[in-house]
Amino acid sequence: MFQNQREGLALALPAAIFTAALFLLPVGILLSEAFKVDGSWSLQGYIDFASKPLNQVVFLRTLKLGFLVALVSAVIGYACAFCIVNLDGKHRGRVFGLIVLPLMISPVARTYAWIVILGRTGIVNDAIVGLGLSETPIRLLFTETAVFLGLLQLFMPLMIISLVSAMENLPKDAVPAARVLGAKWLQVFTRVILPLTKDGLVLGGTLVFTGSLTAYITPAILGGSKVLMLETLLYQRVNVANDFVSAGIIATILIVMSFGANILLKRISSARS
Amino acid sequence: MSDAFVSLQNLSLAYGKTVVVPDLNLDIRKGELIALLGPSGCGKTTTMRAIAGLMSLHGGSISIDGIDMSRTPANKRGIGLVFQSYALFPHLNAFENVAFGLRLKKLPKSEIASGVEAGLNTVGLSHLADRKPAEMSGGQQQRLSLARSLVMQPKVLLLDEPLSNLDARLRLEMRTELQRVQRDTGITMVFVTHDQSEALALADRIVLMKDGLIEQLGTPDDLYNRPETAFAADFFGFENIFNVSGSIITGPQGSAPINFKAVDGHLAWRPGAIKIGNGSHQGTVRGVAFAGEQREYVIDCQLGQIKASVSADEPAHEIGTSIAFDLPKAGALSILVT
Amino acid sequence: MTSTWTSRIIIGLTLTFLIGPFFIIIAAGLSAGDFLAFPPEGLTLKWYIKVFEVESFRDSFALSMFLAVFGTIAALMLGVPAAYALSRYKIPYGETIKTVVAAPIIVPGIIVGLALLRYLVVPLSFTITLALFLAHTALVLPYAVRVVSSSLNNLRSDMEEAAVLLGCSRIGAFFRVVLPNIQSGVLAAFILGFVTSFNQVPVSLFLSGPGVRTLPIDMLSYMEITYDPSVAALSALLAFMSVVIVFVAEKFLGFSRYV
């Protein structure tokens, strides 16, 4: 650790000032505007926002989808991460690379695939009509299910990566030791694996939940105006109605929810141990 | 002292608000090999870093060869430091590691090449000039680090725990190497260690430190045979230390009389000085360990625990048996309490 | 062994779900019909060719490339010194600085775009391109700092002290000793930043003007008007570009450990 504070500050401050002045300041002003009505400080904007049924529906839907995506990611993620960690070195690297890969691909491209799959002439509908389950194609796009699938595909890798790195740090003999002591697999999971990987779960859960809340493309393409989420609602409010107050409110809600999720998950995980 | 080459005066060092070294005065002579010895946290490494200029002074001064260096930046002091971790540059091969400092001096190419060759030769690594540090053994890395410092012809060479990362065989080799280098170059060396045997084997003088203060300063003979404090005695192997008043000694558990007159203060014995089998004290064998030529006993008695070590040729005493032992006048070290 | 098979099936299904859709996109882009369809109705390369002929795609691709390359370089120029300071110096308010620099990850991108539009572009007459550049730099900065920091933390700092004792200045030690040893971390940060910036949508939603659109935004608006397979073809091409980048990066840097 070097002691020259001035030298250290000279190196660190440009980045901090840049972010603070050109990023946090404008965002801060935007957020603060939602607390103003006719130039004076007030919570009236929030009260009005919360009283509109559409806003309530969208808020709850966003929360629900975020929670579901995080939950399902965690369940599949644990199974998948456990399998990956048990692979030998070469295969592990390859599979891990394949899991990371989708994260590097444009979310537009990733989401667009679901139009092909779920569209009126997509594979799923072809199968349904072909099997005679329905006379005409059924609507799969612009449903919550479509948005859920899109978000799951988008964010599950983050959960798997977090869990894999948590499991790699697991003491190598912990699981066999528990088995030898007579634990059933479920007990091994709840008593050994879960407590020892909870940091990974908290990290992955926060990333997936926050990602789902603030995703724009997936609800825009797969949900449209039928399945609005907070982010698409924000875009609509600004574009259609120049409603910057609602934009500020939604922004604040999104930020609070992201932070809240992280704090809550940390709480839950530390309460367990 | 007038012949001081490195002089630390009223040196005080601190990390933030934590003062590690309150007030240190030390003179090191030219060409001397001096050891800063002490347990971890005693301030020996901090002192060494301050000499190198890697740590700003909280107070006092450091002068080298009569010049005040207290404010001189580390890269202008002309001091070499061999790090405990060697701190070699992983992206450069052995040759370039040694050449690093010479290149910064902007010496002509031929001079650099011959300097590096000589440096690698000194430590016997000329055949590995193309190797990267990662492809070398611990001992080779250590010698490379030494060569890198030596080619700069530093006024003082500092070594941080130079032997601690080496296995027993390499340790002996490196120790010999350091002594040879020191004799050949006449360079002033200061090395930091927590191992009393290293300090005894290598140093001309030993500075024993405790809590940032000098506990005792002297030759290896002084410290080994005439430790002046209970701490120094304990550090150099007087494992049985008791308070003494008149003819009564007192340990943690209780007191016992001794059969000779001693000066009030402490009395200390090495395990080897204690006679067992007969004597005026009585105890129970708590533990016994065979250590080759010696057998080491732990004996419970009214004073507390006694550690004794006797020739393995003597018959062994089993754990739990009662045993008589003697704390003889010969081999007893008397420490005055000041 | 049954457990091997179970594990293979789990991994296989997960990968199918995560990666399978890309194969469908590639095929859909090959469809000869005028509307998006899968399985493809006949095979043609015309949509893949058309992608290069659409002028707005070319312009927006150029803009996205510009932002991704120069935004990331700017982020590294700010981020590398900051990461160095945060890992090596004891600086006052270090934690605050860390939080400030990491903040862009937490703030939803759509708000950033909107805020920059309202408070930089409109009142201060910044151009849209400049606002986009600033936003992308700020957005990539946290990744740059994080990846470079982890490289720095794996590098022992006594190496720099050794360099200084051999006569280097502090700055010299950084360029001669630190930088060569965190090269692959910096390169990984560049790639991660490039990809993040190139694929970024929400920030750019409000930051678009006549003729100034990033590629993903352009694709979104193209999709709203036309239902032909060219977006599928373009998506497939973009996916292919990412695959190549990641493959090369993985091969030479072991990229996935930096993500």
Side-chain angles (χ1 to χ4, degrees):
Chain A
M1 201 59 114
F2 306 147
Q3 290 178 315
N4 190 336
Q5 294 190 347
R6 208 175 296 167
E7 216 171 84
L9 275 179
L11 291 170
L13 277 183
I17 291 171
F18 176 86
T19 305
L22 294 172
F23 193 93
L24 293 182
L25 187 66
V27 170
I29 298 174
L30 184 75
L31 296 186
S32 71
E33 272 193 17
F35 291 95
K36 280 186 192 157
V37 174
D38 302 326
S40 58
W41 295 99
S42 158
L43 282 175
Q44 196 55 45
Y46 279 84
I47 297 166
D48 292 347
F49 182 86
S51 65
K52 291 194 181 110
L54 173 70
N55 294 346
Q56 294 168 5
V57 170
V58 171
F59 173 79
L60 290 176
R61 177 188 293 140
T62 308
L63 199 62
K64 182 179 81 182
L65 279 171
F67 176 74
L68 274 180
V69 172
L71 185 72
V72 174
S73 297
V75 173
I76 301 177
Y78 263 112
C80 197
F82 191 71
C83 298
I84 291 176
V85 173
N86 283 326
L87 290 174
D88 61 71
K90 204 172 88 183
H91 287 102
R92 185 198 295 195
R94 280 191 192 157
V95 172
F96 193 70
L98 286 176
I99 301 272
V100 171
L101 182 64
L103 290 175
M104 299 293 130
I105 294 177
S106 169
V108 177
R110 286 202 268 171
T111 308
Y112 195 69
W114 292 101
I115 295 188
V116 188
I117 297 168
L118 301 174
R120 289 184 68 81
T121 55
I123 345 170
V124 178
N125 262 321
D126 282 356
I128 289 174
V129 176
L131 291 170
L133 295 174
S134 168
E135 289 284 304
T136 51
I138 54 173
R139 203 187 71 191
L140 297 167
L141 275 182
F142 312 121
T143 61
E144 283 191 12
T145 315
V147 178
F148 169 78
L149 285 173
L151 291 173
L152 189 65
Q153 194 226 3
L154 214 52
F155 295 114
M156 196 162 66
L158 295 172
M159 177 67 90
I160 300 177
I161 292 171
S162 308
L163 289 177
V164 166
S165 44
M167 281 191 198
E168 280 177 341
N169 295 331
L170 210 74
K172 207 168 171 39
D173 299 326
V175 172
R179 293 283 288 166
V180 169
L181 291 171
K184 298 199 174 60
W185 273 114
L186 189 65
Q187 289 171 315
V188 170
F189 181 74
T190 55
R191 305 253 174 98
V192 181
I193 298 178
L194 195 60
L196 288 173
T197 55
K198 64 179 189 215
D199 288 343
L201 183 63
V202 168
L203 177 65
T206 310
L207 289 174
V208 173
F209 181 75
T210 312
S212 303
L213 291 187
T214 55
Y216 173 81
I217 301 159
T218 310
I221 297 182
L222 301 177
S225 55
K226 289 212 173 60
V227 188
L228 281 174
M229 283 177 71
L230 283 174
E231 191 101 347
T232 38
L233 177 66
L234 192 161
Y235 184 72
Q236 229 186 37
R237 292 311 304 161
V238 174
N239 244 14
V240 177
N242 264 345
D243 178 1
F244 295 111
V245 173
S246 289
I249 291 171
I250 296 172
T252 312
I253 294 174
L254 287 174
I255 294 173
V256 168
M257 277 163 81
S258 305
F259 271 110
N262 184 261
I263 293 166
L264 196 71
L265 278 167
K266 272 187 191 155
R267 271 280 163 74
I268 294 171
S269 81
S270 60
R272 273 178 159 269
S273 56
Chain B
M1 237 188 283
S2 58
D3 58 346
F5 184 66
V6 178
S7 178
L8 313 181
Q9 277 163 7
N10 303 106
L11 187 67
S12 83
L13 301 168
Y15 289 107
K17 288 196 167 59
T18 324
V19 177
V20 186
V21 173
D23 182 16
L24 189 81
N25 288 288
L26 177 63
D27 285 334
I28 299 167
R29 294 176 210 127
K30 193 172 172 68
E32 190 171 34
L33 211 175
I34 208 157
L36 299 180
L37 173 69
S40 58
C42 72
K44 57 188 193 297
T45 306
T46 311
T47 306
M48 184 199 69
R49 291 176 60 83
I51 298 175
L54 295 174
M55 163 118 206
S56 47
L57 307 190
H58 188 245
S61 71
I62 294 173
S63 65
I64 296 166
D65 205 4
I67 303 160
D68 185 3
M69 291 267 182
S70 309
R71 307 232 168 283
T72 312
N75 53 349
K76 304 261 184 327
R77 284 195 189 187
I79 287 180
L81 172 55
V82 176
F83 287 80
Q84 185 176 8
S85 65
Y86 317 139
L88 294 165
F89 307 130
H91 62 299
L92 301 177
N93 63 22
F95 185 94
E96 286 302 325
N97 261 284
V98 179
F100 189 89
L102 299 176
R103 289 200 195 285
L104 287 169
K105 278 188 176 171
K106 303 226 181 336
L107 296 179
K109 265 206 171 107
S110 57
E111 225 170 290
I112 292 175
S114 60
V116 173
E117 252 161 63
L120 287 173
N121 246 332
T122 313
V123 296
L125 285 179
S126 351
H127 60 296
L128 298 178
D130 296 330
R131 293 259 184 105
K132 291 265 177 75
E135 301 156 354
M136 304 173 91
S137 72
Q140 290 167 341
Q141 292 186 29
Q142 168 81 287
R143 283 185 281 154
L144 182 58
S145 180
L146 181 63
R148 186 178 65 178
S149 293
L150 283 176
V151 291
M152 299 299 289
Q153 297 172 329
K155 288 181 227 142
V156 182
L157 181 64
L158 308 170
L159 301 113
D160 189 5
E161 301 275 3
L163 306 178
S164 69
N165 282 347
L166 305 175
D167 63 39
R169 196 176 54 81
L170 278 174
R171 205 174 285 201
L172 184 67
E173 204 174 282
M174 192 68 206
R175 210 163 71 188
T176 324
E177 181 99 357
L178 281 175
Q179 282 170 322
R180 185 180 60 75
V181 166
Q182 211 256 341
R183 202 183 51 234
D184 289 355
T185 58
I187 207 167
T188 308
M189 288 191 190
V190 179
F191 77 100
V192 158
T193 178
H194 64 273
D195 182 345
Q196 48 110 351
S197 64
E198 267 178 33
L200 291 170
L202 264 174
D204 297 325
R205 284 196 300 160
I206 295 172
V207 182
L208 179 66
M209 293 180 71
K210 182 197 174 195
D211 301 334
L213 298 169
I214 295 180
E215 187 79 4
Q216 191 175 345
L217 168 63
T219 63
D221 180 50
D222 290 337
L223 277 122
Y224 189 79
N225 293 316
R226 291 174 294 283
E228 288 164 1
T229 65
F231 175 80
D234 185 45
F235 209 87
F236 283 93
F238 290 86
E239 287 178 61
N240 307 297
I241 301 183
F242 305 100
N243 291 324
V244 60
S245 172
S247 287
I248 304 290
I249 57 171
T250 310
Q253 303 286 327
S255 303
I258 43 169
N259 51 17
F260 60 92
K261 188 104 179 82
V263 188
D264 287 4
H266 300 294
L267 268 184
W269 286 267
R270 293 185 191 281
I274 290 170
K275 302 270 180 288
I276 69 169
N278 55 53
S280 51
H281 301 271
Q282 204 64 34
T284 315
V285 177
R286 187 57 55 213
V288 57
F290 176 69
E293 297 181 1
Q294 304 286 316
R295 221 183 295 275
E296 290 165 359
Y297 290 93
V298 177
I299 299 164
D300 274 354
C301 68
Q302 65 194 97
L303 291 160
Q305 276 192 340
I306 296 278
K307 290 189 182 116
S309 144
V310 294
S311 165
D313 298 337
E314 310 257 325
H317 301 269
E318 278 176 42
I319 291 177
T321 51
S322 292
I323 195 171
F325 65 92
D326 190 27
L327 298 170
K329 185 172 184 191
L333 171 78
S334 177
I335 300 164
L336 301 176
V337 177
T338 45
Chain C
M1 246 171 72
T2 50
S3 69
T4 330
W5 279 107
T6 326
S7 116
R8 278 185 195 168
I9 289 167
I10 291 174
I11 291 176
L13 285 177
T14 313
L15 285 178
T16 308
F17 176 68
L18 292 178
I19 295 178
F22 296 115
F23 293 101
I24 291 173
I25 285 238
I26 295 171
L30 289 168
S31 177
D34 282 342
F35 297 101
L36 198 58
F38 185 88
E41 301 158 345
L43 292 177
T44 174
L45 276 176
K46 70 175 177 189
W47 304 114
Y48 282 91
I49 293 161
K50 188 189 169 190
V51 166
F52 292 94
E53 289 165 350
V54 177
E55 201 179 322
S56 79
F57 282 162
R58 289 209 305 249
D59 292 347
S60 55
F61 178 80
L63 177 64
S64 280
M65 268 291 173
F66 167 81
L67 291 174
V69 171
F70 292 99
T72 306
I73 290 177
L76 283 172
M77 280 163 60
L78 291 167
V80 173
Y84 187 66
L86 290 171
S87 89
R88 294 294 195 265
Y89 288 85
K90 202 177 162 79
I91 34 180
Y93 302 107
E95 282 305 310
T96 314
I97 291 175
K98 234 182 246 180
T99 315
V100 167
V101 175
I105 287 195
I106 300 154
V107 182
I110 193 165
I111 323 243
V112 177
L114 183 58
L116 263 52
L117 179 72
R118 290 207 72 195
Y119 304 110
L120 293 182
V121 175
V122 175
L124 304 176
S125 53
F126 280 35
T127 63
I128 297 273
T129 314
L130 179 58
L132 276 172
F133 173 74
L134 296 174
H136 279 243
T137 304
L139 216 62
V140 171
L141 188 55
Y143 296 98
V145 172
R146 195 190 68 200
V147 173
V148 175
S149 290
S150 83
S151 295
L152 280 169
N153 292 339
N154 290 331
L155 195 71
R156 300 190 52 115
S157 64
D158 49 15
M159 235 164 54
E160 287 132 81
E161 295 180 339
V164 167
L165 287 170
L166 291 169
C168 249
S169 64
R170 190 66 93 197
I171 307 271
F174 176 80
F175 283 103
R176 281 165 192 274
V177 175
V178 179
L179 208 51
N181 284 299
I182 58 165
Q183 252 175 12
S184 55
V186 174
L187 209 54
F190 179 82
I191 291 168
L192 191 62
F194 175 89
V195 170
T196 307
S197 164
F198 194 88
N199 293 338
Q200 170 62 38
V201 170
V203 165
S204 324
L205 268 176
F206 290 112
L207 292 175
S208 61
V212 187
R213 262 189 197 149
T214 64
L215 184 59
I217 302 293
D218 205 28
M219 287 165 75
L220 282 179
S221 53
Y222 187 90
M223 270 157 62
E224 279 168 18
I225 308 162
T226 331
Y227 204 57
D228 72 23
S230 53
V231 172
L234 182 51
S235 294
L237 288 174
L238 290 179
F240 182 69
M241 180 180 92
S242 299
V243 170
V244 171
I245 291 176
V246 171
F247 182 78
V248 172
E250 181 68 39
K251 189 148 178 102
F252 293 104
L253 303 173
F255 181 67
S256 54
R257 75 196 146 103
Y258 290 104
V259 173

